Amino acid sequence: ETLTKNLDAVQVFADVCGIPVYTAVVGAKTDVLLCSLPRLYADERESLWQTLRESDLQTIDLLPALRRCGGEGKYIYYRGDHHLTTLGSYYVYREIAEALGITPYGAKDFSVGVVKSDFSGSDARKMLCATQDKIALFRYAEDGAFLVENRDSGEGMRGLYNAEKLHSSDPYGVFPIAGCGYARITLPNAERQKLLLLCDSYGDALAPLLARHFDLDIIDPRYYGGSVRALAAENDYAAVLVY
């Protein structure tokens, strides 16, 4: 019932905003990492995915690609955190880029490096244990030129990543839009299409990849108090991604 209510709300938004609206849902580990579940494990979450597929929304089905990567043993979820790793976000980016009609960059077009090898995420902290997860970043030559603005506080920074946060109590803050209700990522002095990204913290690692193609307005509905409908009407977005 909750899922149907939320999908209906997205549909109403899509009907009135006048631009393409795409919905892409990332599954939890129990939806994706089937090979890691106990034998005879069963739940009713598959019916939720069917409800999503049967909706009238323009949906991007991420589940097959994530299940395939998980089945191959790819490190797509942190062990001690609920988020996708940056590698997992990269696989999601490829699926979303193709659905948006743009050509995704290949892995060889990024410089991938581990920036923290002892990350213990939110789940690990709750269980008072260390998981030694690795945070890796997909870097590219021009990513230091981007301007990231926190539209809540008015603060801004150059570059897509905040390296200082790697030494804080929450290293996931290396993605500078984390915990922000309204953020903007632009490439100054460049004429590019704009994308509106509606997301929770799963979008933190995805945004730097999409920023290679679009200027981004990023809204986290948990913290944003304004009207998303008005924002869509006031800006010339090429599309909206609900993620």
Side-chain angles (χ1 to χ4, degrees), residues 40-66:
L40 305 181
Y41 177 89
D43 64 22
E44 297 182 359
R45 290 177 61 88
E46 200 66 36
S47 64
L48 300 178
W49 292 99
Q50 190 61 30
T51 298
L52 176 63
R53 296 185 185 106
E54 292 173 354
S55 74
D56 293 329
L57 296 172
Q58 294 191 73
T59 57
I60 304 171
D61 192 353
L62 303 176
L63 200 56
L66 288 174

PDB file of all heavy atoms in Angstrom, residues 40-66:
ATOM      1  N   LEU A  40      16.508 -21.894   1.028  1.00  0.00           N
ATOM      2  CA  LEU A  40      15.075 -21.848   1.318  1.00  0.00           C
ATOM      3  C   LEU A  40      14.629 -20.491   1.868  1.00  0.00           C
ATOM      4  O   LEU A  40      13.497 -20.350   2.335  1.00  0.00           O
ATOM      5  CB  LEU A  40      14.658 -22.965   2.285  1.00  0.00           C
ATOM      6  CG  LEU A  40      15.021 -24.387   1.854  1.00  0.00           C
ATOM      7  CD1 LEU A  40      14.522 -25.391   2.892  1.00  0.00           C
ATOM      8  CD2 LEU A  40      14.446 -24.704   0.472  1.00  0.00           C
ATOM      9  N   TYR A  41      15.532 -19.498   1.815  1.00  0.00           N
ATOM     10  CA  TYR A  41      15.133 -18.152   2.243  1.00  0.00           C
ATOM     11  C   TYR A  41      14.029 -17.647   1.321  1.00  0.00           C
ATOM     12  O   TYR A  41      14.093 -17.799   0.102  1.00  0.00           O
ATOM     13  CB  TYR A  41      16.330 -17.204   2.173  1.00  0.00           C
ATOM     14  CG  TYR A  41      15.992 -15.765   2.520  1.00  0.00           C
ATOM     15  CD1 TYR A  41      16.049 -15.319   3.834  1.00  0.00           C
ATOM     16  CD2 TYR A  41      15.610 -14.857   1.531  1.00  0.00           C
ATOM     17  CE1 TYR A  41      15.731 -14.008   4.149  1.00  0.00           C
ATOM     18  CE2 TYR A  41      15.300 -13.552   1.836  1.00  0.00           C
ATOM     19  CZ  TYR A  41      15.361 -13.129   3.151  1.00  0.00           C
ATOM     20  OH  TYR A  41      15.063 -11.834   3.471  1.00  0.00           O
ATOM     21  N   ALA A  42      13.011 -17.062   1.897  1.00  0.00           N
ATOM     22  CA  ALA A  42      11.912 -16.539   1.092  1.00  0.00           C
ATOM     23  C   ALA A  42      11.310 -15.317   1.781  1.00  0.00           C
ATOM     24  O   ALA A  42      11.270 -15.234   3.007  1.00  0.00           O
ATOM     25  CB  ALA A  42      10.836 -17.603   0.886  1.00  0.00           C
ATOM     26  N   ASP A  43      10.899 -14.366   0.983  1.00  0.00           N
ATOM     27  CA  ASP A  43      10.127 -13.241   1.499  1.00  0.00           C
ATOM     28  C   ASP A  43       9.135 -12.828   0.421  1.00  0.00           C
ATOM     29  O   ASP A  43       9.035 -13.463  -0.623  1.00  0.00           O
ATOM     30  CB  ASP A  43      11.033 -12.077   1.926  1.00  0.00           C
ATOM     31  CG  ASP A  43      11.807 -11.483   0.756  1.00  0.00           C
ATOM     32  OD1 ASP A  43      11.367 -11.662  -0.403  1.00  0.00           O
ATOM     33  OD2 ASP A  43      12.827 -10.840   0.992  1.00  0.00           O
ATOM     34  N   GLU A  44       8.393 -11.785   0.676  1.00  0.00           N
ATOM     35  CA  GLU A  44       7.370 -11.360  -0.270  1.00  0.00           C
ATOM     36  C   GLU A  44       7.763 -10.075  -0.991  1.00  0.00           C
ATOM     37  O   GLU A  44       6.919  -9.414  -1.600  1.00  0.00           O
ATOM     38  CB  GLU A  44       6.037 -11.176   0.462  1.00  0.00           C
ATOM     39  CG  GLU A  44       5.505 -12.470   1.079  1.00  0.00           C
ATOM     40  CD  GLU A  44       4.170 -12.284   1.757  1.00  0.00           C
ATOM     41  OE1 GLU A  44       3.661 -11.148   1.765  1.00  0.00           O
ATOM     42  OE2 GLU A  44       3.632 -13.287   2.278  1.00  0.00           O
ATOM     43  N   ARG A  45       9.045  -9.740  -0.945  1.00  0.00           N
ATOM     44  CA  ARG A  45       9.473  -8.490  -1.556  1.00  0.00           C
ATOM     45  C   ARG A  45       9.405  -8.544  -3.089  1.00  0.00           C
ATOM     46  O   ARG A  45       9.331  -7.502  -3.739  1.00  0.00           O
ATOM     47  CB  ARG A  45      10.887  -8.141  -1.101  1.00  0.00           C
ATOM     48  CG  ARG A  45      10.968  -7.719   0.365  1.00  0.00           C
ATOM     49  CD  ARG A  45      12.396  -7.459   0.806  1.00  0.00           C
ATOM     50  NE  ARG A  45      13.012  -6.382   0.054  1.00  0.00           N
ATOM     51  CZ  ARG A  45      12.927  -5.093   0.386  1.00  0.00           C
ATOM     52  NH1 ARG A  45      12.216  -4.737   1.445  1.00  0.00           N
ATOM     53  NH2 ARG A  45      13.531  -4.174  -0.334  1.00  0.00           N
ATOM     54  N   GLU A  46       9.429  -9.741  -3.644  1.00  0.00           N
ATOM     55  CA  GLU A  46       9.347  -9.838  -5.106  1.00  0.00           C
ATOM     56  C   GLU A  46       8.050  -9.210  -5.618  1.00  0.00           C
ATOM     57  O   GLU A  46       8.002  -8.662  -6.724  1.00  0.00           O
ATOM     58  CB  GLU A  46       9.449 -11.294  -5.537  1.00  0.00           C
ATOM     59  CG  GLU A  46       9.850 -11.484  -6.990  1.00  0.00           C
ATOM     60  CD  GLU A  46      11.264 -11.002  -7.283  1.00  0.00           C
ATOM     61  OE1 GLU A  46      12.150 -11.156  -6.417  1.00  0.00           O
ATOM     62  OE2 GLU A  46      11.470 -10.453  -8.395  1.00  0.00           O
ATOM     63  N   SER A  47       6.998  -9.273  -4.799  1.00  0.00           N
ATOM     64  CA  SER A  47       5.733  -8.666  -5.209  1.00  0.00           C
ATOM     65  C   SER A  47       5.845  -7.146  -5.301  1.00  0.00           C
ATOM     66  O   SER A  47       5.135  -6.508  -6.090  1.00  0.00           O
ATOM     67  CB  SER A  47       4.613  -9.048  -4.232  1.00  0.00           C
ATOM     68  OG  SER A  47       4.864  -8.518  -2.937  1.00  0.00           O
ATOM     69  N   LEU A  48       6.745  -6.568  -4.504  1.00  0.00           N
ATOM     70  CA  LEU A  48       6.964  -5.122  -4.588  1.00  0.00           C
ATOM     71  C   LEU A  48       7.577  -4.756  -5.929  1.00  0.00           C
ATOM     72  O   LEU A  48       7.191  -3.758  -6.557  1.00  0.00           O
ATOM     73  CB  LEU A  48       7.875  -4.655  -3.452  1.00  0.00           C
ATOM     74  CG  LEU A  48       7.378  -4.902  -2.024  1.00  0.00           C
ATOM     75  CD1 LEU A  48       8.410  -4.419  -1.013  1.00  0.00           C
ATOM     76  CD2 LEU A  48       6.053  -4.196  -1.794  1.00  0.00           C
ATOM     77  N   TRP A  49       8.537  -5.555  -6.383  1.00  0.00           N
ATOM     78  CA  TRP A  49       9.166  -5.284  -7.680  1.00  0.00           C
ATOM     79  C   TRP A  49       8.158  -5.432  -8.799  1.00  0.00           C
ATOM     80  O   TRP A  49       8.177  -4.672  -9.783  1.00  0.00           O
ATOM     81  CB  TRP A  49      10.363  -6.216  -7.887  1.00  0.00           C
ATOM     82  CG  TRP A  49      11.481  -5.899  -6.950  1.00  0.00           C
ATOM     83  CD1 TRP A  49      11.777  -6.533  -5.785  1.00  0.00           C
ATOM     84  CD2 TRP A  49      12.431  -4.837  -7.082  1.00  0.00           C
ATOM     85  NE1 TRP A  49      12.867  -5.931  -5.179  1.00  0.00           N
ATOM     86  CE2 TRP A  49      13.280  -4.899  -5.959  1.00  0.00           C
ATOM     87  CE3 TRP A  49      12.649  -3.855  -8.045  1.00  0.00           C
ATOM     88  CZ2 TRP A  49      14.327  -4.000  -5.769  1.00  0.00           C
ATOM     89  CZ3 TRP A  49      13.690  -2.960  -7.865  1.00  0.00           C
ATOM     90  CH2 TRP A  49      14.509  -3.036  -6.726  1.00  0.00           C
ATOM     91  N   GLN A  50       7.262  -6.394  -8.676  1.00  0.00           N
ATOM     92  CA  GLN A  50       6.239  -6.573  -9.697  1.00  0.00           C
ATOM     93  C   GLN A  50       5.299  -5.378  -9.722  1.00  0.00           C
ATOM     94  O   GLN A  50       4.879  -4.925 -10.794  1.00  0.00           O
ATOM     95  CB  GLN A  50       5.459  -7.868  -9.432  1.00  0.00           C
ATOM     96  CG  GLN A  50       4.521  -8.271 -10.568  1.00  0.00           C
ATOM     97  CD  GLN A  50       5.265  -8.521 -11.868  1.00  0.00           C
ATOM     98  OE1 GLN A  50       6.425  -8.943 -11.877  1.00  0.00           O
ATOM     99  NE2 GLN A  50       4.603  -8.245 -12.984  1.00  0.00           N
ATOM    100  N   THR A  51       4.959  -4.857  -8.556  1.00  0.00           N
ATOM    101  CA  THR A  51       4.116  -3.662  -8.493  1.00  0.00           C
ATOM    102  C   THR A  51       4.789  -2.493  -9.190  1.00  0.00           C
ATOM    103  O   THR A  51       4.147  -1.731  -9.925  1.00  0.00           O
ATOM    104  CB  THR A  51       3.836  -3.298  -7.019  1.00  0.00           C
ATOM    105  OG1 THR A  51       3.118  -4.363  -6.401  1.00  0.00           O
ATOM    106  CG2 THR A  51       3.026  -2.021  -6.916  1.00  0.00           C
ATOM    107  N   LEU A  52       6.091  -2.359  -8.990  1.00  0.00           N
ATOM    108  CA  LEU A  52       6.842  -1.288  -9.647  1.00  0.00           C
ATOM    109  C   LEU A  52       6.820  -1.463 -11.163  1.00  0.00           C
ATOM    110  O   LEU A  52       6.585  -0.511 -11.915  1.00  0.00           O
ATOM    111  CB  LEU A  52       8.283  -1.270  -9.125  1.00  0.00           C
ATOM    112  CG  LEU A  52       9.227  -0.262  -9.772  1.00  0.00           C
ATOM    113  CD1 LEU A  52       8.760   1.161  -9.514  1.00  0.00           C
ATOM    114  CD2 LEU A  52      10.648  -0.451  -9.239  1.00  0.00           C
ATOM    115  N   ARG A  53       7.048  -2.682 -11.621  1.00  0.00           N
ATOM    116  CA  ARG A  53       7.089  -2.939 -13.064  1.00  0.00           C
ATOM    117  C   ARG A  53       5.729  -2.708 -13.722  1.00  0.00           C
ATOM    118  O   ARG A  53       5.654  -2.338 -14.897  1.00  0.00           O
ATOM    119  CB  ARG A  53       7.557  -4.371 -13.328  1.00  0.00           C
ATOM    120  CG  ARG A  53       8.990  -4.665 -12.881  1.00  0.00           C
ATOM    121  CD  ARG A  53       9.432  -6.057 -13.290  1.00  0.00           C
ATOM    122  NE  ARG A  53      10.752  -6.374 -12.762  1.00  0.00           N
ATOM    123  CZ  ARG A  53      10.972  -7.203 -11.746  1.00  0.00           C
ATOM    124  NH1 ARG A  53       9.946  -7.809 -11.155  1.00  0.00           N
ATOM    125  NH2 ARG A  53      12.195  -7.435 -11.319  1.00  0.00           N
ATOM    126  N   GLU A  54       4.657  -2.940 -12.981  1.00  0.00           N
ATOM    127  CA  GLU A  54       3.322  -2.798 -13.544  1.00  0.00           C
ATOM    128  C   GLU A  54       2.793  -1.371 -13.491  1.00  0.00           C
ATOM    129  O   GLU A  54       1.713  -1.086 -14.006  1.00  0.00           O
ATOM    130  CB  GLU A  54       2.352  -3.734 -12.810  1.00  0.00           C
ATOM    131  CG  GLU A  54       2.632  -5.209 -13.072  1.00  0.00           C
ATOM    132  CD  GLU A  54       1.775  -6.127 -12.224  1.00  0.00           C
ATOM    133  OE1 GLU A  54       1.038  -5.609 -11.342  1.00  0.00           O
ATOM    134  OE2 GLU A  54       1.828  -7.356 -12.429  1.00  0.00           O
ATOM    135  N   SER A  55       3.537  -0.465 -12.876  1.00  0.00           N
ATOM    136  CA  SER A  55       3.092   0.925 -12.816  1.00  0.00           C
ATOM    137  C   SER A  55       3.230   1.568 -14.187  1.00  0.00           C
ATOM    138  O   SER A  55       3.883   1.041 -15.091  1.00  0.00           O
ATOM    139  CB  SER A  55       3.922   1.698 -11.785  1.00  0.00           C
ATOM    140  OG  SER A  55       5.220   1.963 -12.288  1.00  0.00           O
ATOM    141  N   ASP A  56       2.612   2.729 -14.367  1.00  0.00           N
ATOM    142  CA  ASP A  56       2.669   3.449 -15.641  1.00  0.00           C
ATOM    143  C   ASP A  56       3.889   4.361 -15.729  1.00  0.00           C
ATOM    144  O   ASP A  56       4.045   5.076 -16.717  1.00  0.00           O
ATOM    145  CB  ASP A  56       1.394   4.283 -15.821  1.00  0.00           C
ATOM    146  CG  ASP A  56       0.158   3.415 -15.998  1.00  0.00           C
ATOM    147  OD1 ASP A  56       0.297   2.312 -16.554  1.00  0.00           O
ATOM    148  OD2 ASP A  56      -0.934   3.840 -15.561  1.00  0.00           O
ATOM    149  N   LEU A  57       4.735   4.350 -14.723  1.00  0.00           N
ATOM    150  CA  LEU A  57       5.920   5.195 -14.721  1.00  0.00           C
ATOM    151  C   LEU A  57       6.950   4.689 -15.732  1.00  0.00           C
ATOM    152  O   LEU A  57       6.971   3.509 -16.089  1.00  0.00           O
ATOM    153  CB  LEU A  57       6.553   5.204 -13.327  1.00  0.00           C
ATOM    154  CG  LEU A  57       5.715   5.813 -12.206  1.00  0.00           C
ATOM    155  CD1 LEU A  57       6.392   5.558 -10.860  1.00  0.00           C
ATOM    156  CD2 LEU A  57       5.535   7.306 -12.412  1.00  0.00           C
ATOM    157  N   GLN A  58       7.797   5.617 -16.189  1.00  0.00           N
ATOM    158  CA  GLN A  58       8.948   5.218 -16.992  1.00  0.00           C
ATOM    159  C   GLN A  58      10.011   4.704 -16.025  1.00  0.00           C
ATOM    160  O   GLN A  58      10.719   5.491 -15.402  1.00  0.00           O
ATOM    161  CB  GLN A  58       9.488   6.403 -17.798  1.00  0.00           C
ATOM    162  CG  GLN A  58       8.546   6.921 -18.866  1.00  0.00           C
ATOM    163  CD  GLN A  58       9.237   7.911 -19.788  1.00  0.00           C
ATOM    164  OE1 GLN A  58      10.058   7.560 -20.618  1.00  0.00           O
ATOM    165  NE2 GLN A  58       8.893   9.182 -19.616  1.00  0.00           N
ATOM    166  N   THR A  59      10.083   3.403 -15.874  1.00  0.00           N
ATOM    167  CA  THR A  59      10.983   2.813 -14.887  1.00  0.00           C
ATOM    168  C   THR A  59      12.243   2.278 -15.562  1.00  0.00           C
ATOM    169  O   THR A  59      12.211   1.806 -16.698  1.00  0.00           O
ATOM    170  CB  THR A  59      10.297   1.674 -14.115  1.00  0.00           C
ATOM    171  OG1 THR A  59       9.842   0.681 -15.037  1.00  0.00           O
ATOM    172  CG2 THR A  59       9.107   2.203 -13.318  1.00  0.00           C
ATOM    173  N   ILE A  60      13.337   2.387 -14.844  1.00  0.00           N
ATOM    174  CA  ILE A  60      14.605   1.803 -15.255  1.00  0.00           C
ATOM    175  C   ILE A  60      14.856   0.635 -14.313  1.00  0.00           C
ATOM    176  O   ILE A  60      15.096   0.839 -13.115  1.00  0.00           O
ATOM    177  CB  ILE A  60      15.750   2.835 -15.164  1.00  0.00           C
ATOM    178  CG1 ILE A  60      15.409   4.076 -15.987  1.00  0.00           C
ATOM    179  CG2 ILE A  60      17.062   2.220 -15.637  1.00  0.00           C
ATOM    180  CD1 ILE A  60      16.381   5.226 -15.768  1.00  0.00           C
ATOM    181  N   ASP A  61      14.757  -0.559 -14.825  1.00  0.00           N
ATOM    182  CA  ASP A  61      14.859  -1.754 -13.984  1.00  0.00           C
ATOM    183  C   ASP A  61      16.333  -2.056 -13.716  1.00  0.00           C
ATOM    184  O   ASP A  61      17.041  -2.572 -14.576  1.00  0.00           O
ATOM    185  CB  ASP A  61      14.182  -2.934 -14.670  1.00  0.00           C
ATOM    186  CG  ASP A  61      13.995  -4.134 -13.737  1.00  0.00           C
ATOM    187  OD1 ASP A  61      14.524  -4.083 -12.600  1.00  0.00           O
ATOM    188  OD2 ASP A  61      13.342  -5.106 -14.148  1.00  0.00           O
ATOM    189  N   LEU A  62      16.787  -1.742 -12.515  1.00  0.00           N
ATOM    190  CA  LEU A  62      18.188  -1.944 -12.138  1.00  0.00           C
ATOM    191  C   LEU A  62      18.449  -3.345 -11.599  1.00  0.00           C
ATOM    192  O   LEU A  62      19.610  -3.754 -11.487  1.00  0.00           O
ATOM    193  CB  LEU A  62      18.595  -0.917 -11.068  1.00  0.00           C
ATOM    194  CG  LEU A  62      18.412   0.552 -11.429  1.00  0.00           C
ATOM    195  CD1 LEU A  62      18.768   1.423 -10.225  1.00  0.00           C
ATOM    196  CD2 LEU A  62      19.261   0.936 -12.633  1.00  0.00           C
ATOM    197  N   LEU A  63      17.392  -4.059 -11.259  1.00  0.00           N
ATOM    198  CA  LEU A  63      17.553  -5.324 -10.547  1.00  0.00           C
ATOM    199  C   LEU A  63      18.336  -6.370 -11.350  1.00  0.00           C
ATOM    200  O   LEU A  63      19.250  -7.008 -10.795  1.00  0.00           O
ATOM    201  CB  LEU A  63      16.181  -5.856 -10.138  1.00  0.00           C
ATOM    202  CG  LEU A  63      16.141  -6.883  -9.001  1.00  0.00           C
ATOM    203  CD1 LEU A  63      16.804  -6.336  -7.747  1.00  0.00           C
ATOM    204  CD2 LEU A  63      14.705  -7.284  -8.702  1.00  0.00           C
ATOM    205  N   PRO A  64      18.053  -6.589 -12.638  1.00  0.00           N
ATOM    206  CA  PRO A  64      18.811  -7.627 -13.365  1.00  0.00           C
ATOM    207  C   PRO A  64      20.308  -7.369 -13.386  1.00  0.00           C
ATOM    208  O   PRO A  64      21.103  -8.293 -13.165  1.00  0.00           O
ATOM    209  CB  PRO A  64      18.201  -7.576 -14.771  1.00  0.00           C
ATOM    210  CG  PRO A  64      16.825  -7.041 -14.576  1.00  0.00           C
ATOM    211  CD  PRO A  64      16.952  -6.042 -13.466  1.00  0.00           C
ATOM    212  N   ALA A  65      20.717  -6.128 -13.647  1.00  0.00           N
ATOM    213  CA  ALA A  65      22.151  -5.819 -13.715  1.00  0.00           C
ATOM    214  C   ALA A  65      22.815  -5.991 -12.356  1.00  0.00           C
ATOM    215  O   ALA A  65      23.917  -6.547 -12.256  1.00  0.00           O
ATOM    216  CB  ALA A  65      22.362  -4.397 -14.231  1.00  0.00           C
ATOM    217  N   LEU A  66      22.143  -5.545 -11.287  1.00  0.00           N
ATOM    218  CA  LEU A  66      22.732  -5.677  -9.960  1.00  0.00           C
ATOM    219  C   LEU A  66      22.800  -7.139  -9.536  1.00  0.00           C
ATOM    220  O   LEU A  66      23.798  -7.577  -8.940  1.00  0.00           O
ATOM    221  CB  LEU A  66      21.932  -4.857  -8.948  1.00  0.00           C
ATOM    222  CG  LEU A  66      22.077  -3.329  -9.058  1.00  0.00           C
ATOM    223  CD1 LEU A  66      21.132  -2.622  -8.091  1.00  0.00           C
ATOM    224  CD2 LEU A  66      23.518  -2.895  -8.788  1.00  0.00           C
TER     225      LEU A  66
END
